[in-house]
Each structure stands twice: as C-alpha cells, then as structure tokens.
Amino acid sequence: LKAFAAPLIADLPEIGVLENRTGLAMLPMRDTAQGTHFHLGEVLMSEARISADGQEGYGMRRGRDLEAAMAMALVDLAVTLGVSHGPCATVLAAEAGAHRDADRTTLTCVEATRVDMETF
C-alpha cells in the first residue's frame, strides 16, 4: 500500500494534513449466549486525515503504522478526486479479494472447531 500510494502524491493538488495520530479504540463484542454487548478491550490504531481541493481522505489501521494510515488516506483522497482512478480501483479490488480469502480461511478454521451441544 505504501509503495502504491507514494507516487500518487505527485498527481494530487497541494495536500494538507488534518490529523496523523495513534490512539486506543474500544473493541466491542457481543455475547452470543445472552446477546449482550461488552468491550473486550482496547486496540491500538493509527489514523490519518488529509485534504486537498476541499475533499478529505481518511485512513485507519490497526497498530502503530502511521505511514500505512497516511498511504490509505492518500488512496482514499485520490479516489475521491478521481486521480488515478483505474490503478486505485485495481489495487483496492486485489486487497478486497485478499481480505475475503483470509476471512474465509479463518472462518473455515473456526467452523472446524465448532461443537454442536445438541449432540451431547
């Protein structure tokens, strides 16, 4: 993402950084037995907000990687402004596919360990 986003800077108008920070965000979960919501804990997040030509780009990532959050915000801003739309759409589609595959793998592993209590 960082390598892809860096060249986009040259194609964008003057960019202003509105926010570039790390912080903790609460991780909400739902108790499946009772259906109640609770906070499992906190997650360290990196966040970036930039602007150009009256439009904003936003990026948020888990962990302490401000450069990756800024790269995500650059891609968001480029898509919003219609700059390098084709290459951005290709990269975003590839990332979405990779995330979908990773989610499928994780859910397959979880399903393999599921126990049906009615069979006991």
Side-chain angles (χ1 to χ4, degrees):
L1 181 62
K2 295 176 196 178
F4 175 76
L8 293 177
I9 296 172
D11 297 333
L12 292 169
E14 186 174 335
I15 299 169
V17 177
L18 304 175
E19 271 183 317
N20 193 18
R21 64 184 180 165
T22 59
L24 296 173
M26 296 300 290
L27 179 62
M29 296 295 287
R30 186 176 65 85
D31 178 3
T32 56
Q34 297 178 353
T36 58
H37 292 275
F38 66 97
H39 292 287
L40 183 62
E42 297 173 329
V43 178
L44 179 64
M45 304 296 292
S46 299
E47 180 180 35
R49 236 179 48 170
I50 59 175
S51 68
D53 280 353
Q55 299 293 324
E56 287 190 12
Y58 181 77
M60 179 184 255
R61 303 270 304 217
R62 186 179 64 231
R64 188 187 303 269
D65 193 349
L66 290 171
E67 289 179 1
M70 186 65 73
M72 188 179 285
L74 281 168
V75 172
D76 184 44
L77 183 62
V79 169
T80 301
L81 293 174
V83 174
S84 301
H85 190 270
C88 287
T90 301
V91 166
L92 293 174
E95 285 295 315
H99 283 280
R100 191 172 36 254
D101 293 344
D103 287 347
R104 185 177 297 116
T105 300
T106 300
L107 291 174
T108 300
C109 292
V110 168
E111 186 61 33
T113 64
R114 189 176 305 271
V115 176
D116 184 5
M117 299 307 281
E118 297 297 320
T119 61
F120 285 119

